[in-house]
Amino acid sequence: MTTAVTAPERAGSAPDGTPVHRWVLERAGTRVAVLDYGGILQSVEVPDRDGVRADVVLGFDDVAGYVDCPSPYFGALIGRYANRIAGGTFTLDGRTYRLPRNNGTNCLHGGERGFDKRVWDAEPAADGHGVRLSLVSPDGEEGFPGRLAVSATYALDAAGALRIEYRAVTDAPTVVNLTNHSYWNLGGAGSGRAGGHRLRIAAGHVTPLDGDSVPTGPPAPVAGTRFDFREPREVGSGYDHNFVLDQGASGASVAAELYDPVSGRVLTVTTTEPGIQLYTGDAFDAGPFGPCEGIALETQHFPDSPNRPDFPSTVLRPGEEFRSVTTYGFGTADDGA
């Protein structure tokens, strides 16, 4: 199949009336739809072991579904800071910054109006295989310092894998942690619970959390615990945790493999990030999807890193460039990933 990037089509409007458009990418059997509202990955259609295609990410048919659904962040680009910042505050270069507390006492996924609620500028990617989204977050937005210029490029490679490349620069010291918040169900969106999927995560450690999902100490070994996914096993439920990848930011490496034994579909996640957040969607309480119908595998830095000097740094300074790449590869298997 040749590469196809369709001309954007009108998909609705943001709450302020700004037009929203859908971009469709198709290559090597994979068909992807991306909205410029929230940078949302609206659909990913891939074949099962019998060649039957299905959409394997949870989402909505129209923009209104995303606007009206309270906070699961279906398919969205997350920033400025993915995951939690404890107490909605951090100190950088001796100055304390206060952020919205939109998750109990924490700041979650960039605050009240993060990147998931913005309409991004969109244009065809330079290589002709994808779409490049960009926006500028002004100094002080949601309490974060610095004018941050961000881009995220969605592209399909020759094998039909979806590659997301994030870039950002700033004019003042700040913190950055970007990810995509898609929920995967390899049986097809709406096919029921995804807890029966088999998952492998290349992580020997996990960050222990308190009751507010904030790290309480250094990474802990997964051996002998329910967090040990070093060998494939059923996902189950009850997870919203950051796993410390064994290779992490030393270069792109396989972070996770997800397998649905019913359809035979396999998802392979490769990333340059040091961590991956496994969230099994136990708290779904709105929209058409019930608890555990999708599995989020969010490649990112660790939660609360701005307050944890022992964690990999999320600080970005003028003259530096934040760059991160995550690839989602698709395939099939008969007896496991």
Side-chain angles (χ1 to χ4, degrees):
M1 181 180 296
T2 58
T3 302
V5 180
T6 65
E9 59 184 17
R10 180 70 180 269
S13 300
D16 64 359
T18 303
V20 174
H21 296 88
R22 177 186 298 108
W23 293 71
V24 177
L25 320 176
E26 191 164 4
R27 195 179 191 191
T30 302
R31 188 174 189 268
V32 170
V34 178
L35 301 178
D36 54 19
Y37 176 74
I40 288 171
L41 186 59
Q42 185 182 26
S43 64
V44 177
E45 297 176 24
V46 292
D48 67 7
R49 64 164 65 96
D50 298 317
V52 178
R53 298 168 62 85
D55 179 11
V56 296
V57 294
L58 307 190
F60 301 94
D61 293 334
D62 53 32
V63 176
Y66 295 97
V67 171
D68 296 340
C69 189
S71 79
Y73 303 96
F74 288 109
L77 290 176
I78 304 298
R80 287 189 186 192
Y81 196 94
N83 219 310
R84 294 163 179 86
I85 296 179
T89 184
F90 70 94
T91 300
L92 178 60
D93 295 342
R95 180 174 175 181
T96 297
Y97 297 92
R98 304 193 182 281
L99 316 172
R101 296 182 176 186
N102 62 320
N103 177 244
T105 61
N106 304 320
C107 180
L108 175 66
H109 292 337
E112 297 287 353
R113 187 172 182 264
F115 293 172
D116 59 294
K117 297 177 179 65
R118 298 277 301 274
V119 177
W120 296 59
D121 293 329
E123 61 183 355
D127 65 1
H129 299 318
V131 57
R132 180 182 182 272
L133 306 177
S134 61
L135 62 75
V136 173
S137 177
D139 178 34
E141 184 172 48
E142 297 296 296
F144 290 93
R147 177 186 183 274
L148 191 74
V150 185
S151 70
T153 301
Y154 290 80
L156 293 175
D157 69 15
L162 174 63
R163 182 179 188 270
I164 306 179
E165 180 177 8
Y166 310 86
R167 292 178 180 266
V169 294
T170 182
D171 66 356
T174 191
V175 294
V176 180
N177 191 22
L178 306 177
T179 193
N180 175 274
H181 206 297
S182 290
Y183 294 92
W184 302 92
N185 186 322
L186 300 182
S191 65
R193 292 171 66 92
H197 287 21
R198 295 179 62 81
L199 175 65
R200 184 179 76 85
I201 301 179
H205 292 78
V206 66
T207 48
L209 304 176
D210 64 16
D212 293 323
S213 296
V214 173
T216 58
V222 300
T225 75
R226 70 187 185 97
F227 301 104
D228 193 348
F229 287 96
R230 290 175 296 175
E231 295 295 330
R233 63 180 179 85
E234 284 195 5
V235 181
S237 61
Y239 295 94
D240 191 6
H241 294 80
N242 170 68
F243 288 75
V244 178
L245 297 175
D246 292 336
Q247 296 184 23
S250 62
S253 58
V254 174
E257 294 174 323
L258 188 65
Y259 169 67
D260 173 32
V262 177
S263 69
R265 294 187 182 95
V266 179
L267 170 69
T268 302
V269 182
T270 303
T271 189
T272 59
E273 286 294 293
I276 188 167
Q277 184 87 4
L278 168 63
Y279 176 44
T280 47
D282 302 74
F284 283 177
D285 59 2
F289 305 110
C292 305
E293 286 198 29
I295 296 168
L297 295 166
E298 307 158 56
T299 59
Q300 56 187 264
H301 275 58
F302 305 167
D304 203 31
S305 290
N307 294 311
R308 295 295 303 259
D310 54 323
F311 287 177
S313 177
T314 56
V315 174
L316 182 68
R317 298 185 180 279
E320 300 174 346
E321 181 184 47
F322 172 90
R323 180 177 180 270
S324 173
V325 177
T326 294
T327 300
Y328 305 91
F330 307 100
T332 60
D334 292 327
D335 57 0

